[in-house]
Each structure stands twice: as C-alpha cells, then as structure tokens.
C-alpha cells in the first residue's frame, strides 16, 4: 500500500482558515486562533505533514485590509501555507450567516423549526461556492490531494468539475447528516444531493449519518445503485463510483496525554484542586466546555444541575460546575438570546444555592489557553457533555485523553457522534431528559473508583487507537488508494450499535 499521507501535497478547503482576523485595540488587523471541531482536528494534521489551507479569514473584506500581510505572521508558526478567500459583507451575510447558519446548521441538527428558508440565501451560497472553486482551481497542482470540508462548501466539487478539474476530490461533513424526513424539507434538496454525489468520496462522522445519507440517495435518486457493506459503500452515479463512508473524527491523543502529564499542567492541577478544598472535604468538579451554540444543550444541562441539587441535597456544597462557553457566531440574534438565557440560568441557580463557602456554578465566557484547558480537564471529576445533537464532539475525546490516571467520569449525550464510537463506557444520557441527567450526575458522584478506572481505561483505549492520524489515513486511503478492501477493514475497536445500552442504575437498557 503506498503511503497516501505523505506522497502528495494535501490541500484543505474549508469555510474558515484556522485563524480569524480581528482588529486590535489600535485598529490594526491581527490573526487569532479559530475555534470549533474542524479547526481543532485539522490544525495538527497540517502541522504534522505540511500542505495548503484555503479558507475565509473570518471577517468581511474591508478596503484597509491587506489579507496576505495580516496573515503572514500566523503562517510563520503554523508549518503550512494559507490561501485566503476574501468575502464581501453581502456574501458573508447570505452564504455564512444565511444559508450555512440559518438553514443547514439547524436542519442538519434536527432543529427544523429554527430554519429560515430564505431563497435569497441560496443564490449567494451558490455564488460563494463558485468563488471558492475558482480560487482552489488556480492554487492547485496536478498531483495535489484536494479535501473539501463541511456544510458551507457542499457545491465546490461540482463547481471544480465545471472548471475542468479532473483529479479526485474528497469531501467530509463534520456535522450530522439528517434522515430523509428532514432532508426532504430542504427546498434545494436535489441540487445539494446531486452536488454531493459529484465528489469522489463523501465522508460522514457516524454509521447513523452514513445510513441517513444512503437513504436519501436511495429515495431521491432511483437511478443510483448503492452497493457494499462495511465502513465504505459505493454509489454508482452514471457509471462513476462515489464512495460513502463513516470516519469518526478524532484528536491528537498522544499530544493531549503528554500535555496532561507536563510540569505546568501538574502545577495548575494542584492549584485548582486546592481551591476546591482539602482532601476529605474537597468539592467534586464538574466540567462543561462548549462553543456558544443552541445545539450544545447548555440551558438544559443547567436545569439538570438545578434538579440534581434540589433532589439530592447531599450534593449541595459537594459539587461545583465549571461551565466554559467559547464565544461563537455572536452577531446572530439567536446566539445572543442563548447567551442571555445561559447567564440568567447561571445567576438564578447561584442565587438560590450559593453559600459563603460554596459556589455551585463558575461560568466563563471567553476562550482559555491550552495549558489551562488541559489542567481543567484533568482536574474535573466529571465531564458533562450533553449536546442535543453533535457531529462528533471532540471535548469528550480530549477529556479522556487527558485522564492519564484513569480517573474521571464521562457523562455523554447519546446524540453526540462520539456516543456511536465510545459505546457503553461513558454514562449515556438523553439531554432532553432533565431528570435522567440529574440522576446520572448523582450516579457519577457516587461511582466507585474501580468502576471509574475500568470505564476510563476502555475509553482511552478507543480514543488512542482511532486518533486524528488514523482518521486522516482512513479517509485519504479510501479516496486515493485502489485497495478499497484494505481501507474498509480499518475499524475501531468496538462494533457499532444503533442504540448503545445504558449502564446507569436508573434506567433499564434500551
Ligand atoms: C462546527 C463546524 C465548523 C465550524 C465550527 C465553528 O464545528 O463543523 O465548520 O467552523 O463549528 O463555527 P463557526 O461558524 O465559528 O466557523
């Protein structure tokens, strides 16, 4: 098997570059690191092997902006090259805020009632996808491996074909793919499905996403035959093969583990723990880390915490939630409303339960540096990761990677893509079921150390085995290798189950 990873230059095309431009206090443009699963996962890959990243720098083009100049500094430390795609204010409004964030994002997260199917957005979305394709076509070399990412750029493959680009193009969707019942609501469902079938491979996060996509292909394109079973199946579109596979995205496990054992993290962990009280009476730390997003289930989680404090009074004074919310999409009114809702709930709960020696919730609304994040992961007795729907959720994997002492309990939403892969080793919950989440918090607080150890060891084994480099190899191998069989056999440790069984004491297995 040739090493598809290293023989060719990798060209990543995504909506965002891994850095976003913003004005500093003096009004000059500076680059800051981006947030979100896509950037978190892909940055180490390109750092490791080099390549070119094509994307939007995060702000609308202004006259005083010198894109290449402002990005030069960021490029220097990154180990790969950037090619910015400039977007006008109108383009950002219609393509990013409009079509991507008011239509695709809510619909693909099963939140159809939040969609605004404004036809004007579609025109701009098409135009911007065409613009990306032109910039890609001008930047690539014949033997590059082109890899397009996420819901913002579903039409780019098709547009590249129109520009007579003939090399293979891979596509990966980082968010869930909805079932036909929801996808069929999309006014541009045929255009989008057909554009996806123009890629040589469509990669999805989970078995469920792949099944949903295949069902949409089967119900909307009777002329397309989908054959095969296993991780990768083939759709035959006008005698052309399109591979469809599920590849759960991951993290750089070794890097997180190493960092968790470093001197500076150990020092911070000792400080954080001492702030939580001395040994016998130390409060247990619960941790939530999320981008500001209504899909993350933060208000529901806060209500579950309140319910736990109400119904299990022995938890009062014994547990403390640190909720970190990383600002995101803050110009969108729904995200501003969400922020207010979270802040009102935090203040209500703190107002009701705080004592002189105990604060139930510590709330942070800014991003934190990596040392502090890893120290918080390691210090947290329980990670509370309860999205209403999530493509994968890398916070769950990062939490496991940093628990090098095999302690810590992961409470995970069954609607996070990670639940599909981590099987029954986390405590799985339905995030809409406030009562169940409250009971699970109580269960986690009383879990015997031996059980914690057993679960965390199993979790770490899975994340270690299917890390970000495994993901890249599995995906690129499936697109560019002739030996599809070999790559179909690449599998994670545990078999898939449509509904992983619950292991908490309160609910019978489903
Ligand atoms: C998710 C998406 C990414 C996106 C990120 C941050 O992880 O899959 O494509 O970049 O959210 O959202 P933003 O809108 O700020 O790029």
């Amino acid at each position: 098997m040739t090493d598809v990873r290293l023989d060719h230059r990798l060209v990543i095309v995504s909506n965002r570059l891994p850095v976003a431009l913003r004005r500093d206090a003096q009004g000059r443009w500076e680059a800051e690191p981006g947030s979100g699963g896509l950037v978190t996962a892909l940055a180490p890959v390109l750092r490791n092997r080099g390549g070119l990243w094509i994307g939007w720098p995060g702000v609308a083009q202004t006259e005083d902006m010198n894109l290449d100049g402002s990005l030069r500094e960021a490029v220097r430390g990154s180990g790969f090259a950037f090619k910015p795609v400039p977007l006008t204010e109108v383009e950002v409004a219609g393509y990013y805020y409009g079509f991507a964030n008011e239509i695709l994002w809510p619909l693909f997260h099963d939140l159809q009632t939040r969609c605004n199917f404004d036809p004007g957005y579609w025109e701009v979305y098409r135009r911007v996808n065409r613009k990306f394709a032109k910039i890609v076509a001008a930047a690539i070399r014949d033997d590059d491996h082109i890899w397009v990412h996420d819901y913002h750029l579903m039409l780019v493959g098709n547009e590249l074909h129109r520009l007579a680009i003939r090399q293979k193009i891979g596509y990966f969707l980082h968010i869930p793919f909805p079932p036909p019942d929801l996808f069929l609501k999309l006014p541009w469902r045929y255009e989008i499905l057909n554009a996806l079938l123009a890629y040589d491979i469509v990669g999805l996060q989970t078995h469920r996403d792949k099944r949903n996509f295949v069902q949409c292909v089967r119900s909307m394109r009777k002329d397309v035959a989908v054959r095969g079973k296993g991780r990768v199946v083939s759709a035959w579109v006008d005698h052309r093969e399109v591979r469809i596979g599920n590849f759960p995205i991951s993290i750089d496990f070794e890097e997180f583990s190493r960092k968790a054992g470093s001197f500076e993290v150990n020092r911070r962990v000792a400080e954080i723990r001492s702030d939580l009280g001395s040994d016998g009476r130390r409060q247990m730390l619960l941790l939530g880390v999320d981008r500001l997003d209504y899909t993350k289930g933060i208000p529901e989680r806060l209500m579950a915490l309140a319910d736990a404090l109400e119904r299990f009074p022995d938890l009062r004074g014994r547990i403390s939630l640190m909720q970190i919310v990383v600002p995101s999409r803050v110009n969108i009114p729904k995200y501003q409303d969400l922020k207010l809702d979270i802040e009102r709930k935090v203040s209500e709960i703190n107002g009701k339960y705080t004592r002189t020696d105990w604060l139930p919730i510590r709330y942070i609304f800014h991003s934190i540096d990596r040392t502090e994040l890893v120290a918080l992961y390691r210090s947290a007795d329980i990670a509370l990761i309860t999205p209403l729907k999530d493509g994968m959720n890398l916070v769950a994997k990062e939490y496991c990677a940093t628990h090098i002492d095999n302690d810590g309990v992961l409470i995970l939403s069954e609607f996070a893509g990670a639940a599909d892969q981590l099987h029954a080793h986390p405590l799985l919950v339905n995030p809409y079921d406030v009562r169940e989440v409250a009971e699970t918090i109580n269960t986690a607080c009383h879990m015997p150390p031996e059980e914690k150890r057993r679960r965390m060891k199993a979790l770490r084994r899975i994340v270690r085995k299917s890390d970000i480099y495994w993901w890249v190899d599995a995906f690129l191998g499936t697109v560019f290798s002739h030996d599809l069989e070999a790559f179909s056999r690449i599998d994670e440790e545990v078999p898939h189950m449509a509904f992983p069984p619950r292991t908490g004491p309160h609910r019978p297995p489903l």
Side-chain angles (χ1 to χ4, degrees), residues 177-327:
F177 196 90
D181 282 359
L182 281 172
F183 187 73
L184 286 169
K185 307 246 157 68
L186 188 62
W188 309 276
R189 57 204 175 171
Y190 283 103
E191 288 89 336
I192 294 225
L193 189 87
N194 290 339
L196 288 174
L197 290 174
Y199 286 103
D200 294 282
I201 178 169
V202 176
L204 301 142
Q205 297 275 23
T206 68
H207 294 261
R208 190 180 305 213
D209 299 324
K210 182 176 70 186
R211 189 192 58 204
N212 289 345
F213 182 64
V214 167
Q215 280 176 356
C216 287
V217 173
R218 287 205 165 112
S219 64
M220 294 169 62
R221 286 285 306 260
K222 301 285 182 220
D223 58 315
V224 172
V226 183
R227 299 208 189 95
K229 51 181 193 280
R231 175 177 297 285
V232 182
V233 298
S234 298
W236 290 92
V237 187
D238 307 324
H239 308 292
R240 200 173 54 82
E241 184 189 12
V242 181
R243 295 175 177 176
I244 303 169
N246 63 292
F247 307 90
I249 200 167
S250 197
I251 56 162
D252 187 340
F253 178 91
E254 292 305 336
E255 216 263 313
F256 269 97
S257 298
R258 214 176 17 248
K259 179 93 186 160
S262 67
F263 173 73
E264 73 267 24
V265 166
N266 274 310
R267 196 176 51 196
R268 263 311 277 152
V269 169
E271 285 166 8
I272 293 168
R273 290 199 169 141
S274 96
D275 285 349
L276 291 165
S278 52
D279 262 357
R281 296 195 11 252
R282 183 172 76 77
Q283 289 160 23
M284 296 184 86
L285 183 65
L286 277 64
L287 181 66
V289 182
D290 308 86
R291 261 188 329 102
L292 178 72
D293 205 292
Y294 50 79
T295 59
K296 301 292 183 186
I298 305 170
E300 292 78 359
R301 180 184 313 162
L302 294 172
M303 281 174 348
L305 181 82
D307 194 55
L309 293 175
E310 199 50 45
R311 290 194 304 123
F312 306 105
D314 70 308
L315 296 182
R316 296 182 205 161
R318 278 196 56 213
I319 62 172
S320 180
L321 170 68
M322 168 81 85
Q323 177 63 56
I324 299 169
V325 179
V326 179

Side-chain angles (χ1 to χ4, degrees), residues 15-16 35-39 56 96 101 105 150-152 174-175 291 293 296 328-329:
N15 172 51
R16 276 186 189 279
S35 67
L38 187 155
V39 166
W56 171 55
Y96 171 71
N101 283 324
W105 180 266
D150 231 354
Y151 57 104
H152 316 83
H174 290 252
I175 64 173
R291 261 188 329 102
D293 205 292
K296 301 292 183 186
S328 173
R329 305 180 194 172

